């Protein structure tokens, strides 16, 4: 039953002068301005910076303005910046070219890309007729180099991104209010001349169809003379849901009514967005046209298509039940709607399965299931129609529900009797508007298909970062017979039963079903207050679910990297032996600690083949702390200050190094300050010795044999560590750094005084 929702009954004259002066009721407004935020290099989705905007209704054009600048324009190179913009939820992207899992569906609303450089110039992104609501942009820096830069050795080239949003809002929009029209003839018309007019109306729930009728009438020319409309209905009609019509957008329906010939009526019909505004733009490019507009809904609400006959003035045989009692007296019974037999719903009204939401307390962790029975138990099966589709709907909430992955899977009842025929189940998952179901596919959205004759018993689809709003699942089952003589191999028949039992699961979780497979870990991150989940892959695997192994590292390469970085620490054994022989027991203990913690830190930090003795952060602190402290005590030993001063500087160095490592363990000054202070102490101590001894200190053998080799090894290791490390050669260069620094200790560690009773045989003492 078609219900009148609204009719425009207005008399309005729009002249060219008023339209030009008022600019069609348009006004430009500044919606938001987001100040500078740091953007990072993209290695995984966790590195993106999220920007949030909100667009009001009736916006004909939105313009984003982006500008990126470095912290030091003169010292930093210009970097490329990438921005991806999308309505509703975070853009799902793969800038590294990795593949998505096979069951992922990522093509929802269009994504707008913008690529520019960080030179401070302005870059615009224009979107015509944007969907009102939340918009999100993710920004990052593409990886331009694989070199590992040490903090403090290179300028801090942080890139900051600034953005703003402005929009053009149309205020001249006529609202069509829902009302039921009487049967009287419509006599008042709207008039437009060489311009356009936009209308909007709200669509509520349970509306299956929406149509618009335009009735043209003879227009009037500028001179006031009547002009017959011989071309029928000379109007151009564009309609869309949620946003203003845009002829370049696939969601806009466009009808040129002039193509109807002499017919004066034009009509559009479509499946509407429930609980949303719908917009209609009517234009007459070359005519002065008068017309009437009528909007019709087909409602599937429970009270329709039957009215409620609570009181009847005129007796109507259709609403009266005649019955005879025992005394054969005639009674007239006025029947309520609840007592009347239900008639079949209209063809486009599908049977609905209501769903309830279950939230598990975590971020975007929830599921939808059927309403429970009276005893509290949840139905295990859902029954899908065979004669017409069955519909389920659910809502994704803005902001709080969009950071996970929506997973939907469906399958046939495994106990289904297929002895005489097979069953095919088609399910369509769509956002905003339900889909039509065909025997082999869906007209829109994600299609899921399960056949009883196939070994595939379950079909699933995953939607990363789903858009907010209403989602629909439209399902229908078909019966068929196998016929291998046909190309398609099956013949569809009428199903003996009206319903078929199916199982389904509908839930939201982190990453890919809560995990990232064997080669990744699932994490939740916060950017600008918005929470999202993503996978962090390892051993060269990439992709949204760490399933793309095109650049994965071989097992032999992973094993080689682990062995090099761990076993290269055995070069500390000669340094430990030399320190023990020369009675540097404190130094020997620190060299052993450095070897121990460096070995197990790299064993825990490596991918593929790893072993963690303790938490990684603890091992990392101990590795940096023992390495810098070993460097410090070696310099103090070279200064030869005596027991009292040496003990004092050891303790002072232990406290200072612990403070520095805790403050910034990867900073340059954590290494540089102990080195400069130690070298200064050595210079003062050696100068004092030379002044007292009136000669060279230490001996020439140490100056020309031990010291050059030790300094050369230390300098080579430092240069490689600071300037040569990349992602590809890290295991080789860093292993060489371990060996060169350990061997440098063997040459730099001094000898004991003769007075202390120890002098290695065959070695000329370096101290007098």
């Amino acid at each position: 039953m078609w219900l009148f929702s609204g009719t425009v009954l207005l008399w309005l004259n729009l002249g060219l002068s008023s339209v030009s002066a008022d600019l069609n009721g348009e006004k430009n407004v500044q919606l938001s301005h987001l100040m500078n935020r740091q953007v990072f290099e993209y290695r995984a989705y966790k590195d993106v910076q999220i920007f949030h905007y909100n667009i009001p209704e009736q916006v004909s054009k939105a313009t984003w303005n982006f500008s990126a600048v470095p912290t030091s324009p003169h010292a930093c190179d210009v970097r490329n910046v990438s921005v991806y913009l999308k309505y509703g939820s975070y853009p799902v992207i793969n800038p590294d070219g990795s593949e998505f899992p096979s069951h992922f569906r990522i093509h929802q609303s269009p994504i707008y890309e913008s690529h520019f450089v960080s030179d401070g110039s302005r870059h615009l992104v224009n979107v015509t007729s944007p969907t009102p609501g939340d918009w999100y942009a993710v920004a990052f820096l593409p990886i331009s180099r694989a070199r590992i830069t040490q903090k403090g050795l290179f300028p801090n080239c942080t890139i900051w991104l600034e953005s703003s949003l402005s929009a053009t809002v149309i205020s001249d929009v006529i609202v069509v209010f829902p009302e039921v029209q009487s049967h009287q003839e419509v006599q008042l018309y709207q008039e437009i001349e060489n311009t356009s007019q936009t209308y909007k109306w709200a669509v509520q729930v349970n509306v299956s169809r929406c149509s618009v009728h335009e009735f043209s009438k003879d227009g009037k020319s500028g001179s006031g003379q009547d002009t017959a409309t011989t071309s029928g209905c000379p109007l151009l009609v564009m309609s869309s849901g949620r946003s203003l019509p845009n002829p370049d957008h696939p969601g806009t329906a466009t009808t040129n009514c002039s193509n109807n010939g002499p017919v004066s009526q034009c009509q559009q019909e479509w499946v509407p967005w429930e609980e949303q505004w719908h917009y209609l733009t009517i234009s007459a490019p070359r005519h002065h046209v008068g017309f009437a507009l009528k909007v019709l809904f087909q409602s599937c609400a429970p009270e329709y298509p039957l009215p409620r006959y609570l009181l009847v003035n005129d007796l109507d045989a259709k609403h009266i039940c005649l019955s005879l009692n025992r005394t054969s007296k005639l009674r007239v019974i006025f029947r309520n709607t609840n007592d009347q037999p239900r008639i079949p719903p209209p063809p486009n009204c599908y049977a609905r399965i209501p769903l309830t939401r279950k939230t598990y307390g975590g971020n975007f962790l929830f599921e939808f299931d059927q309403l429970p029975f009276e005893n509290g138990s949840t139905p295990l099966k859902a029954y899908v129609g065979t004669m017409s589709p069955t519909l389920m709907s659910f809502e994704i909430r803005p902001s709080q529900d969009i950071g996970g992955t929506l997973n939907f899977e469906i399958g046939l009842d495994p106990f289904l009797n297929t002895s005489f025929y097979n069953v095919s189940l088609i399910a369509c998952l769509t956002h905003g508007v339900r889909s039509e179901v065909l025997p082999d596919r869906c007209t829109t959205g994600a299609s899921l298909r399960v056949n009883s004759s196939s070994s595939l018993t379950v079909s699933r689809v995953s939607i990363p970062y789903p858009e907010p709003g209403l989602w629909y699942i439209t399902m229908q089952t078909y019966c068929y017979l196998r016929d291998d003589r046909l190309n398609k191999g099956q013949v569809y028949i009428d199903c003996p039963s009206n319903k078929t039992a199916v199982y389904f699961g509908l839930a939201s979780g982190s990453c890919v079903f809560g995990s990232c497979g064997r080669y990744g870990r699932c994490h939740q991150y916060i950017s600008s207050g918005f929470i999202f989940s993503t996978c962090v892959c390892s051993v060269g695997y990439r992709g949204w679910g760490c399933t793309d192994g095109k650049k994965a590292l071989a097992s032999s390469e992973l094993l080689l990297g682990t062995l090099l970085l761990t076993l290269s620490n055995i070069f500390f054994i000669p340094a430990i032996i030399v320190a023990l022989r020369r009675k540097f027991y404190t130094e020997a203990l620190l060299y052993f600690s450095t070897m121990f913690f460096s070995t197990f830190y790299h064993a825990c930090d490596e991918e593929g083949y790893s072993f963690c003795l303790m938490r990684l952060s603890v091992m990392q602190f101990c590795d940096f702390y023992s390495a810098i402290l070993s460097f410090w005590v070696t310099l103090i030993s070279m200064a030869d200050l005596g027991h009292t001063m040496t003990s004092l500087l050891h303790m002072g160095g232990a406290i200072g190094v612990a403070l520095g490592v805790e403050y910034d363990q990867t900073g340059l000054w954590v290494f540089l300050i102990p080195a400069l202070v130690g070298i200064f102490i050595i210079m003062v101590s050696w100068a004092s010795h030379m002044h007292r001894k009136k000669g060279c200190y230490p001996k020439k053998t140490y100056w020309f044999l031990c010291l050059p080799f030790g300094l050369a090894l230390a300098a080579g290791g430092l240069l490689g560590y600071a300037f040569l490390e990349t992602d590809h050669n890290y295991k080789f260069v860093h292993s060489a750094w371990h060996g060169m620094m350990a061997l440098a200790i063997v040459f730099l560690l001094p000898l004991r005084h003769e007075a202390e009773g120890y002098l290695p045989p065959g070695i000329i003492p370096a101290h007098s």
Side-chain angles (χ1 to χ4, degrees):
M1 177 178 180
W2 290 98
L3 302 178
F4 288 86
S5 166
T7 303
V8 176
L9 304 177
L10 299 175
W11 180 262
L12 187 62
N13 290 313
L14 301 177
L16 289 177
S17 60
S18 63
V19 173
S20 300
D22 196 28
L23 295 177
N24 292 324
E26 296 181 353
K27 59 179 180 180
N28 296 321
V29 294
Q30 180 83 20
L31 296 179
S32 61
H33 189 124
L34 303 183
M35 300 306 293
N36 288 339
R37 296 182 185 175
Q38 184 180 358
V39 289
F40 308 92
E41 286 192 347
Y42 184 93
R43 298 179 182 272
Y45 201 90
K46 65 181 179 64
D47 300 318
V48 302
Q49 181 71 270
I50 295 179
F51 296 79
H52 172 253
Y53 314 89
N54 188 272
I55 293 182
E57 296 175 350
Q58 300 179 195
V59 172
S60 62
K61 182 181 178 181
T63 301
W64 281 265
N65 195 328
F66 297 99
S67 176
V69 293
T71 51
S72 178
H74 301 289
C76 299
D77 297 332
V78 174
R79 296 292 303 273
N80 293 323
V81 181
S82 296
V83 176
Y84 291 79
L85 180 68
K86 180 179 177 293
Y87 160 77
S89 63
Y90 317 130
V92 180
I93 57 175
N94 58 337
D96 56 357
S98 57
E99 296 179 353
F100 290 96
S102 58
H103 55 87
F104 265 43
R105 184 176 178 87
I106 60 174
H107 302 291
Q108 302 177 52
S109 295
I111 297 178
Y112 302 89
E113 300 182 29
S114 180
H115 305 279
F116 48 92
V117 294
S118 59
D119 57 357
S121 59
R122 298 287 177 176
H123 301 271
L124 303 180
V125 177
N126 296 314
V127 178
T128 304
S129 301
T131 303
D134 295 320
W135 284 69
Y136 297 90
V138 294
F140 57 88
L141 305 176
I143 296 179
S144 59
R145 57 185 180 272
R147 187 177 67 180
I148 301 175
T149 58
Q150 302 303 322
K151 185 177 180 180
L153 294 179
F154 299 92
N156 183 18
C157 292
T158 302
I159 305 298
W160 299 89
L161 182 65
E162 179 184 2
S163 67
S164 62
L165 171 63
S166 59
T168 302
V169 181
I170 296 180
S171 58
D172 185 18
V173 177
I174 298 177
V175 180
V176 180
F177 292 97
E179 58 179 339
V180 178
Q181 295 299 314
S182 62
H183 297 288
Q184 64 183 3
E185 181 181 358
V186 177
Q187 297 179 350
L188 299 180
Y189 285 80
Q190 173 91 35
E191 285 196 359
I192 58 176
E193 180 179 4
N194 299 332
T195 184
S196 62
Q197 179 62 53
T198 301
Y199 307 86
K200 73 174 183 179
W201 61 88
V203 175
Q204 302 302 320
V205 296
N206 291 315
V207 176
S208 64
R209 290 282 174 178
C210 183
S211 70
V212 175
H213 299 256
E214 296 83 23
F215 303 90
S216 66
K217 182 185 179 183
D218 292 343
K220 294 183 179 181
S221 64
S223 60
Q225 298 177 355
D226 293 342
T227 303
T229 307
T230 58
S231 60
C233 189
L235 299 175
L236 181 63
V237 181
M238 294 185 297
S239 60
S240 65
R242 300 189 299 172
S243 60
L244 294 174
N246 178 11
D248 298 326
H249 194 279
T252 298
T254 303
T255 302
N256 189 346
C257 299
S258 300
N259 297 332
N260 293 346
V263 180
S264 62
Q265 178 181 355
C266 189
Q267 176 181 348
Q268 271 191 359
E269 181 179 344
W270 65 91
V271 178
W273 294 71
E274 295 186 50
E275 298 185 336
Q276 296 287 344
W277 285 103
H278 282 64
Y279 295 85
L280 179 75
T281 299
I282 299 179
S283 58
R286 296 181 299 275
H287 299 277
H288 187 138
V289 181
F291 64 92
L293 173 67
K294 182 168 62 176
V295 180
L296 302 178
F297 289 171
Q298 178 180 334
S299 177
C300 297
E303 61 269 22
Y304 294 109
L306 293 178
R308 293 185 179 274
Y309 299 104
L310 301 179
L311 181 63
V312 180
N313 294 327
D314 298 327
L315 295 182
D316 190 337
K318 293 185 297 183
H319 308 141
I320 300 176
C321 176
L322 300 179
S323 63
L324 296 177
N325 59 10
R326 294 180 181 179
T327 59
S328 300
K329 292 183 179 180
L330 183 65
R331 292 191 305 167
V332 179
I333 304 175
F334 295 95
R335 304 183 61 186
N336 191 286
T337 304
N338 297 330
D339 300 327
Q340 301 183 45
R342 299 293 295 177
I343 65 174
N348 298 314
C349 293
Y350 304 153
R352 292 200 178 215
I353 299 178
L355 299 178
T356 181
R357 174 179 172 132
K358 301 177 181 178
T359 303
Y360 295 101
N363 299 315
F364 39 78
L365 298 179
F366 55 87
E367 70 172 351
F368 294 95
D369 211 335
Q370 298 184 77
L371 294 178
F373 295 120
E374 293 182 357
N375 59 6
S377 61
T378 302
L380 298 178
K381 302 177 183 179
Y383 292 90
V384 177
T386 59
M387 304 298 293
S388 63
T390 301
L391 187 66
M392 295 189 297
S393 63
F394 59 95
E395 182 181 6
I396 298 296
R397 300 172 183 172
S399 300
Q400 57 183 324
D401 288 351
I402 63 175
T405 303
L406 179 66
N407 303 300
F408 173 60
E409 56 184 3
I410 193 166
L412 291 169
D413 185 356
F415 302 103
L416 187 65
N417 185 7
T418 57
S419 303
F420 304 100
Y421 58 90
N422 288 292
V423 177
S424 176
L425 170 63
I426 305 295
C428 311
L429 178 63
T430 55
H431 174 244
V433 180
R434 70 178 189 276
S435 173
E436 301 293 337
V437 184
L438 302 178
D440 58 342
R441 60 182 175 86
C442 304
T443 56
T444 59
S447 299
L448 294 86
R449 183 176 183 180
V450 180
N451 293 332
S452 60
S453 59
S454 173
S455 59
L456 182 65
T457 59
V458 176
S459 180
R460 62 170 54 96
V461 65
S462 297
I463 311 292
Y465 302 159
E467 295 177 5
L470 287 176
W471 286 73
Y472 297 91
I473 300 174
T474 313
M475 304 170 290
Q476 188 170 353
T477 54
Y478 300 88
C479 298
Y480 66 94
L481 299 175
R482 296 286 301 175
D483 191 346
D484 297 332
R485 295 172 298 177
L486 299 177
N487 294 332
K488 295 184 179 180
Q490 56 191 28
V491 177
Y492 289 97
I493 62 173
D494 293 335
C495 295
S497 176
N498 293 333
K499 294 183 179 180
T500 302
V502 301
Y503 291 92
F504 75 92
L506 180 61
S508 172
S510 300
C511 302
V512 184
F513 295 103
S515 67
C516 297
R518 179 181 177 185
Y519 303 104
R521 294 182 179 179
C522 180
H523 298 277
Q524 293 185 8
Y525 295 92
I526 299 178
S527 177
S528 304
F530 297 96
I531 303 177
F532 62 96
S533 66
T534 185
C535 291
V536 179
C537 307
S538 60
V539 301
Y541 277 82
R542 304 178 304 161
W544 208 260
C546 300
T547 55
D548 188 347
K550 294 180 180 178
K551 295 186 178 181
L553 301 177
S555 298
S556 58
E557 187 175 0
L558 295 172
L559 181 60
L560 176 63
T562 302
L563 293 177
L564 282 175
L565 291 170
T566 54
L567 297 182
S568 60
N569 289 285
I570 64 176
F571 285 99
F572 280 96
I573 294 179
I576 296 172
I577 295 175
V578 170
L580 291 174
R581 291 188 62 187
R582 298 179 185 179
K583 298 185 179 181
F584 290 101
Y585 300 117
T586 301
E587 289 78 357
L589 176 61
L590 284 173
Y591 299 154
F592 175 79
S593 299
T594 302
M595 179 183 68
F596 177 85
F597 288 115
S598 178
T599 299
F600 285 98
Y601 164 65
H602 285 290
C604 182
D605 189 48
E606 281 303 289
E607 300 176 344
Y609 296 92
S610 63
F611 170 76
C612 291
L613 185 65
M614 286 181 283
R615 192 169 66 250
L616 180 62
S617 59
V618 176
M619 300 298 296
Q620 186 181 39
F621 173 85
C622 294
D623 177 35
F624 279 83
Y625 178 73
S626 58
I628 298 175
L629 193 57
S630 296
F631 185 58
W632 168 257
V633 298
T634 301
L635 295 176
I636 299 302
S637 300
M638 293 172 61
D640 194 5
L641 299 173
H643 289 292
T644 302
M645 185 60 66
T646 299
S647 176
L648 178 63
L649 290 176
H650 280 177
M651 291 303 300
I655 297 173
V657 171
L659 176 63
V661 173
E662 181 64 25
Y663 181 77
D664 187 4
Q665 60 188 8
T666 60
L668 175 64
W669 291 101
V670 180
F671 294 89
L672 193 58
I673 290 178
L676 294 177
V677 174
I679 292 173
F680 176 76
I681 293 174
I682 290 175
M683 293 174 61
V684 173
S685 176
W686 285 5
S688 176
H689 280 291
M690 282 188 262
H691 178 72
R692 286 187 291 106
K693 301 296 182 182
K694 305 299 181 180
C696 180
Y697 185 89
K699 292 296 185 179
K700 294 181 180 180
T701 305
Y702 188 85
W703 276 101
F704 296 104
L705 181 62
C706 298
L707 190 61
F709 279 101
L711 291 178
L713 287 171
L718 286 172
L719 289 175
Y721 175 80
F723 300 101
L724 301 180
E725 283 186 353
T726 66
D727 292 335
H728 302 291
N729 65 12
Y730 173 78
K731 54 181 174 291
F732 301 105
V733 176
H734 200 79
S735 299
W737 145 266
H738 287 167
M740 297 176 76
M741 296 304 294
L743 293 177
I745 295 175
V746 177
F747 290 94
L748 295 177
L749 198 65
L751 305 176
R752 284 294 183 185
H753 291 290
E754 295 181 20
E756 296 178 1
Y758 177 75
L759 185 65
I763 300 295
I764 300 176
H767 299 70
S768 58

